[in-house]
């Protein structure tokens, strides 16, 4: 995805009280800031200057225009002077796009020897921003507030994070998720209210029979399969059994046809995420493994066992992390290392881990798969890069959706894993496994997650604010008694927020 195809509107508030000359200066300052932000390599989307707004009619018109402009993903609002906030009520009521309140001023320093009332009348962000902040709070508007000089690195970092979240939220609106088969039978956490998700989060989820997919797979030609296998040979370390003269070459061709068929199905249907289920494989020779790994690497969201909430979340995290260092993948907490000297988690899945998180060149091989009742499928096997990362999940509590995020450190494996036939990552949760796992479980956290080495907790919090859903952070600052209180307070808050 190229985020430069998205626009963020730079909107400055003022009023006519100070005269036309002051308004001209406000406009010039606004143009300068908007251009500098848009030209910054740190800012992922285009910043589009909009004429200074000074009255309720033009504010309302601008907000409605933002709603209907496809490439606009949100607004940066700045109060250069005092902008009476009653002017903003109708516009903010109409606005459906997210906005961030940039609380800055054009000048960094006070001009001590020159400051006069003309300067004071022009540079009123200090209290103009408070007036705007009041109406946002009075109206219950979710927004991010960024404070500081507009050229400072921490301000640019916060703006970048918010924009990435805004692009992901925009991408999710109207997104389509395909479920190949249903949920894994008797599993609770992968279920949920798909209608409520479409109302609250904007994406639709629909199931498709395996016959629909198998029909497309069967239409894949030998020439197409040959070309894709050539890509495999260039990108991965293929074991000799998968070479044309190898005994498992036919299985590799089956995997390639599955990928081509799934890709065509998803592209033709304009889907952005999908799910599979090893219990629903009728008409297929093997469980899609390699296909899922490669589709995720191209930006598709994915959830195993019909987990559509995780598929949507992985897509969101893929969009947010566009162009950043580090990969993003579907993940599962698989097993623990409970050594008191350093408790850790081994994350993996039976097949479907994205190679964007791989350290080095992945190995492509077929191993036995004692689940699904089909032929053993090829899959990419690798270790993940070390360093900071996040695990995040989304759950449906019945009365609301909740995102749970755990900050982790990916660490080297304690020893080689010659008999483990899947991609894997080992991490140390923050603040430690005891508190992190207990907090995750008490919050109802799922076993499926979106795992990322590119994003921070701020990305996830900004997205949750835009979506209007709960977000719980488990990190180095988490204390278990306080976390339990947060859960109780949130239950009350979200119950009251929804009303009857």
């Amino acid at each position: 995805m190229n985020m430069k195809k998205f626009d963020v509107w730079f909107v400055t508030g003022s009023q006519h009280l100070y005269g036309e000359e002051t308004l001209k200066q406000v406009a010039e300052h606004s143009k300068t800031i908007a251009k500098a932000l848009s030209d910054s390599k740190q800012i992922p989307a285009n910043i589009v200057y909009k004429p200074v707004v000074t009255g309720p009619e033009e504010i309302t018109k601008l907000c409605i225009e933002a709603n209907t402009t496809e490439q606009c993903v949100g607004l940066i609002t700045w109060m250069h002077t005092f902008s009476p906030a009653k002017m903003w009520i109708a516009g903010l009521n109409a606005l459906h796009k997210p906005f961030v309140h940039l609380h800055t001023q054009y000048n960094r320093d006070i001009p001590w020897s020159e400051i006069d009332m003309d300067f004071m009348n022009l540079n009123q962000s200090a209290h103009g921003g408070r007036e705007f902040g009041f109406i946002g709070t009075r109206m219950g508007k979710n927004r991010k507030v960024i404070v500081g000089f507009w050229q400072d690195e921490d301000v640019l970092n916060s703006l970048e994070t918010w924009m990435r979240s805004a692009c992901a939220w925009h991408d999710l609106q109207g997104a389509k998720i395909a479920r190949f088969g249903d949920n894994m039978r008797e599993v609770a956490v992968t279920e949920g209210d798909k209608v409520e998700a479409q109302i609250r989060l904007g994406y639709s989820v629909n199931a498709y029979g395996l016959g629909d997919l198998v029909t497309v797979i069967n239409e894949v030609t030998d020439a197409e399969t040959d070309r894709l296998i050539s890509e495999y040979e260039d990108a991965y370390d293929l074991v000799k059994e998968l070479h044309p003269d190898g005994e498992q070459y036919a299985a590799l061709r089956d995997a390639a046809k599955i990928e081509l068929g799934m890709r065509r199905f998803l592209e033709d249907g304009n889907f952005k995420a999908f799910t599979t289920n090893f219990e629903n494989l009728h008409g297929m020779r093997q469980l899609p493994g390699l296909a899922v790994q490669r589709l995720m690497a191209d930006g598709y969201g994915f959830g195993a066992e019909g987990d559509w909430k995780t598929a949507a979340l992985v897509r969101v995290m893929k969009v947010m992390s566009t162009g950043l260092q580090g990969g993003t993948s579907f993940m599962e907490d698989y097993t623990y290392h409970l050594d008191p000297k350093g408790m850790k988690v081994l994350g993996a899945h039976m097949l479907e881990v994205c190679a964007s998180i791989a350290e080095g060149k992945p190995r492509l091989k077929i191993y036995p798969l004692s689940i699904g009742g089909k032929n053993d499928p090829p899959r990419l096997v690798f270790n993940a890069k070390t360093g900071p990362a996040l695990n995040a999940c989304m759950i449906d509590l019945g009365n609301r959706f909740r995102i749970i995020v755990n900050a982790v450190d990916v660490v080297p494996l304690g020893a080689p894993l010659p008999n483990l036939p899947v991609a894997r990552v080992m991490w140390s949760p923050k603040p430690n496994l005891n508190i992190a796992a207990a907090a995750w479980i008490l919050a109802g956290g799922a076993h499926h997650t979106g795992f990322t080495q590119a994003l921070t907790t701020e990305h996830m919090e900004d997205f949750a604010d835009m979506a209007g859903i709960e977000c719980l952070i488990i990190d180095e600052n988490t204390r278990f008694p306080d976390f339990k209180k947060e859960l109780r307070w949130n239950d009350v808050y979200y119950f009251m927020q929804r009303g009857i």
Side-chain angles (χ1 to χ4, degrees), residues 20 29 83 105 107 170 273 383 467:
E20 290 304 313
H29 291 176
S83 179
Q105 59 188 29
N107 59 297
H170 183 82
N383 298 330

Side-chain angles (χ1 to χ4, degrees), residues 159-382:
L159 274 173
E160 177 198 12
T161 298
W162 178 86
M163 285 182 203
R164 290 182 175 278
S165 301
C167 289
W169 176 248
H170 183 82
D171 176 79
L172 204 60
Q173 305 314 297
K176 296 166 61 179
I177 299 176
R179 297 170 69 225
F180 297 120
D182 206 335
N183 285 64
M184 182 178 174
R185 291 183 278 277
E186 304 297 342
V187 176
V189 76
T190 56
E191 295 284 358
D193 189 337
K194 295 187 286 293
V195 173
E196 184 69 8
Q198 189 165 352
I199 294 170
R200 296 277 170 184
L201 302 172
Y203 61 85
S204 64
V205 184
N206 288 291
Y208 295 86
L210 264 293
D212 297 332
L213 175 59
V214 170
T215 297
V216 181
I217 292 172
N218 290 339
E219 293 172 351
V220 172
T221 67
D222 287 340
E224 291 172 313
T225 306
D226 292 338
R227 285 193 293 270
L228 184 55
I229 289 178
S230 294
E231 289 186 31
Y232 296 165
E233 292 170 346
D234 292 336
Y236 315 118
D237 179 15
L238 271 67
V239 298
K240 62 180 181 179
E241 291 84 359
L242 296 181
H243 289 185
D245 57 350
E247 60 188 30
Q248 295 175 326
Y249 182 66
L252 181 63
R253 293 188 69 83
D254 288 340
K257 289 182 178 181
I258 289 172
E259 178 187 337
L260 289 164
M262 292 184 76
R263 190 178 294 274
R264 186 168 299 161
F265 190 102
L266 295 171
E267 288 176 351
D268 289 347
N270 197 28
F271 295 101
K272 293 180 177 178
F274 66 102
T275 71
T276 61
N277 183 355
F278 67 89
E279 291 178 327
N280 298 109
L281 296 173
H282 183 72
M284 300 181 71
R285 294 178 179 174
Q286 57 182 245
L287 175 65
L290 179 59
V292 173
Q293 291 179 296
R294 285 175 52 82
L295 287 164
M296 263 196 290
D298 287 340
Y300 284 97
F302 172 75
E305 288 92 54
D307 189 350
W308 51 270
K309 296 187 296 298
T310 300
L313 186 61
V314 170
R315 170 65 183 189
V316 164
M317 296 167 77
K318 288 278 189 183
V319 173
M320 284 196 289
S321 62
T322 298
L324 296 179
Q325 293 294 316
T328 298
S329 177
F330 170 79
M331 188 56 66
E332 182 171 271
D333 296 62
Y334 231 95
T335 193
Y336 292 139
H337 182 67
L338 296 179
D339 183 347
K341 296 179 182 178
M343 295 185 182
K344 303 177 181 67
V345 180
L346 183 64
H349 204 257
M350 65 177 76
L351 296 173
E352 307 96 341
V353 177
C354 179
S356 65
I357 67 171
E359 181 178 45
K361 194 173 186 178
R363 192 180 196 199
L364 183 55
K365 186 174 179 179
I366 291 179
Y367 294 89
L369 183 68
S370 57
I371 194 167
K374 295 291 183 176
N375 296 338
D376 295 328
R379 80 291 303 263
L380 299 174
V381 179
F382 52 84

Side-chain angles (χ1 to χ4, degrees), residues 30-31 53 62 76 84-85 99 118 129 203 235 245 260 286-287 363 388 412 414-415 433 447 476 481-482 490 497:
S30 300
K31 290 176 183 177
V53 290
L62 180 142
I76 298 172
F99 70 98
D118 287 339
Y203 61 85
D245 57 350
L260 289 164
Q286 57 182 245
L287 175 65
R363 192 180 196 199
L433 179 59
H447 57 285
E476 63 275 9
D482 294 337
N490 285 6
Q497 186 191 51

